[in-house]
Amino acid sequence: MTKAAEYIKEWLAKRGFSAKIYEYQRGKPNVVARVGSGKPVLILNGHTDVVPPGDVGKWTVPPFSGKIVEGRIYGRGSTDMKGGLAVIMAAFADIAPAVEKAGAGSLVLAATADEEVGGHAGVEALVKDGVLSGDAAIVAEPSGPDKYCIGEKGLSQVKLVARGKPAHGSLPLLGENAIVKLIKAVEEASKIVDEINRGIALPRDLAEAVENSARLYLESALRSGLRLSEEDFRKVIGSVSFNPGVIRGGSKINMVPDYAELELDMRVPPGVSPKDVVERLRKGLAGLAEVEAIDTSEPNYTPSGERIVGLVREGIAAQGMRPKPIIMTGATDGRYLRMRGIPTVIYGPGELTLAHTYDEYVSVEDLVLTYNTIIYTIKKYFNIS
Ligand SMILES: [Zn+2]
């Protein structure tokens, strides 16, 4: 991340832009450059960190080579999201003089750290510090050139803890088995989540995005041979998902366990409060298991009537594509901006399904199309002809 930040700072300096480094955690510098003055402020954001390459032997090209084969740039981070970062850097450098000259507001470029592990030392810290504030934002995570993401699910991660009474395994009636209690608790928790899901009314604004996303996830599932329907995906995107991810408990086969725990990952759609989900479980599981919140974050979306949404849509159409809004099941740094009331659109080159995979790539065509859309959007946003 440090090397990437230095590179970006130098790259900008060569083109006559000064950038500031904000390092809230050592080794995780954020680069912020700004041109123009006053309002409105449009933020272009991308993250510099990538996930590790994994088993290098499973790559057909070296993961940090950036090799171009048949119009595709291969490498770890190409899709997620060095490609997007390159696009917004180029867009910033190319359009900044016009923004300054027009005196129509401020354009901010923020190349941030830490996204892959939660963004706490990156966008979250910059927003809290007041460095990043504005009237609209584009986060160039991989949406693909014809799609733009207007919302994402929130998070409700909890630990269920069941306690019992130890006894010898040959006389279980003398004890109280924490594992058996925990199993009952998980079944009950699943019923409670089903009940919550029956009462969900998604914001109408998101209907089109849910449809599009369901189709996209289905296409990729069918490619990997899974037999699922569009309706299955519509359901999982539009409701609270339920995934027990970790289970621990007991110490010996011949003992009645007095402790067992399970970590449960639930993703909640806009319209549902993650903290409410925790409370409902707490009440419903009383006597079976204690419920501790591990992490919660609010689902969020930008209404389709926001100007930035309309402009990105127009920009995509101007490149001859049919614009499709989508919603993501995972979280991006966009949530920190939305939580500060900044209308935010996720739009950039690449494919979400390629992120974090072997032989990750981004197509050159995607880079060009998204660059053109973003330039279009910036021009319209500042009324530059
Ligand atoms: Zn990313």
Side-chain angles (χ1 to χ4, degrees):
M1 275 180 262
T2 304
K3 271 191 188 159
E6 277 165 8
Y7 174 83
I8 294 166
K9 197 172 182 242
E10 266 168 42
W11 188 92
L12 287 166
K14 266 188 218 154
R15 285 155 185 82
F17 306 106
S18 64
K20 270 195 183 169
I21 303 266
Y22 298 86
E23 195 162 352
Y24 300 97
Q25 199 179 315
R26 259 187 88 142
K28 295 185 173 182
N30 302 286
V31 188
V32 180
R34 195 179 292 268
V35 293
S37 63
K39 278 167 91 73
V41 179
L42 174 62
I43 300 167
L44 305 176
N45 170 239
H47 64 83
T48 54
D49 56 326
V50 296
V51 294
D55 183 352
V56 177
K58 291 202 172 141
W59 287 75
T60 51
V61 294
F64 294 105
S65 64
K67 203 170 164 190
I68 303 177
V69 186
E70 289 166 5
R72 293 169 167 181
I73 306 175
Y74 284 86
R76 171 54 81 231
S78 49
T79 255
D80 184 14
M81 60 164 283
K82 293 288 192 335
L85 198 51
V87 164
I88 56 172
M89 283 164 63
F92 177 87
D94 292 347
I95 201 84
V99 173
E100 263 185 320
K101 205 175 139 212
S106 314
L107 182 65
V108 176
L109 174 74
T112 51
D114 210 31
E115 196 275 344
E116 297 291 358
V117 288
H120 305 302
V123 173
E124 187 181 25
L126 287 166
V127 164
K128 274 191 181 155
D129 201 13
V131 175
L132 271 191
S133 69
D135 304 292
I138 296 172
V139 180
E141 291 271 12
S143 62
D146 60 340
K147 297 176 277 291
Y148 60 100
C149 172
I150 52 169
E152 54 193 48
K153 291 179 88 173
L155 187 74
S156 194
Q157 293 179 327
V158 297
K159 188 195 268 187
L160 309 183
V161 176
R163 297 181 199 278
K165 228 171 78 189
H168 193 276
S170 65
L171 285 168
L173 75 169
L174 297 180
E176 193 186 6
N177 192 309
I179 291 177
V180 173
K181 278 175 85 178
L182 185 65
I183 291 168
K184 282 185 191 149
V186 179
E187 282 170 355
E188 192 55 36
S190 164
K191 282 185 204 153
I192 294 167
V193 168
D194 283 345
E195 201 184 296
I196 294 172
N197 284 339
R198 278 194 290 274
I200 288 181
L202 271 188
R204 293 193 66 171
D205 220 11
L206 290 176
E208 192 190 349
V210 171
E211 287 292 311
N212 289 331
S213 302
R215 213 164 300 138
L216 282 171
Y217 284 116
L218 178 66
E219 277 165 23
S220 114
L222 292 179
R223 275 200 297 271
S224 25
L226 290 171
R227 282 194 199 185
L228 291 163
S229 70
E230 209 171 298
E231 178 59 19
D232 294 328
F233 282 100
R234 220 176 287 140
K235 261 191 210 152
V236 78
I237 296 165
S239 63
V240 181
S241 60
F242 187 87
N243 182 54
V246 176
I247 188 163
R248 297 182 200 92
S251 46
K252 252 176 139 354
I253 190 169
N254 60 357
M255 276 172 70
V256 175
D258 64 346
Y259 183 91
E261 63 175 38
L262 177 132
E263 290 173 10
L264 176 59
D265 185 2
M266 294 166 289
R267 305 300 171 105
V268 309
V272 177
S273 152
K275 291 194 176 95
D276 266 8
V277 174
V278 178
E279 270 324 297
R280 294 270 293 264
L281 289 178
R282 202 166 269 158
K283 268 193 201 133
L285 300 184
L288 279 176
E290 295 151 28
V291 179
E292 297 166 15
I294 299 172
D295 198 4
T296 57
S297 86
E298 293 291 329
N300 55 86
Y301 74 102
T302 301
S304 55
E306 286 291 346
R307 189 160 170 251
I308 189 71
V309 179
L311 291 180
V312 170
R313 220 184 143 90
E314 250 179 57
I316 295 171
Q319 316 310 317
M321 298 173 288
R322 201 171 71 79
K324 298 186 201 80
I326 53 168
I327 174 169
M328 285 182 180
T329 52
T332 69
D333 276 343
R335 69 186 189 275
Y336 298 119
L337 300 167
R338 288 202 186 103
M339 272 171 220
R340 276 295 155 108
I342 305 171
T344 299
V345 178
I346 312 291
Y347 178 75
E351 273 179 60
L352 205 57
T353 47
L354 290 173
H356 304 192
T357 59
Y358 295 115
D359 284 346
E360 178 183 350
Y361 69 85
V362 68
S363 77
V364 176
E365 192 192 3
D366 271 22
L367 298 176
V368 174
L369 287 170
T370 53
Y371 168 88
N372 288 341
T373 300
I374 289 173
I375 287 283
Y376 178 100
T377 306
I378 300 170
K379 279 187 176 170
K380 287 274 170 160
Y381 189 81
F382 292 113
N383 297 310
I384 302 167
S385 51

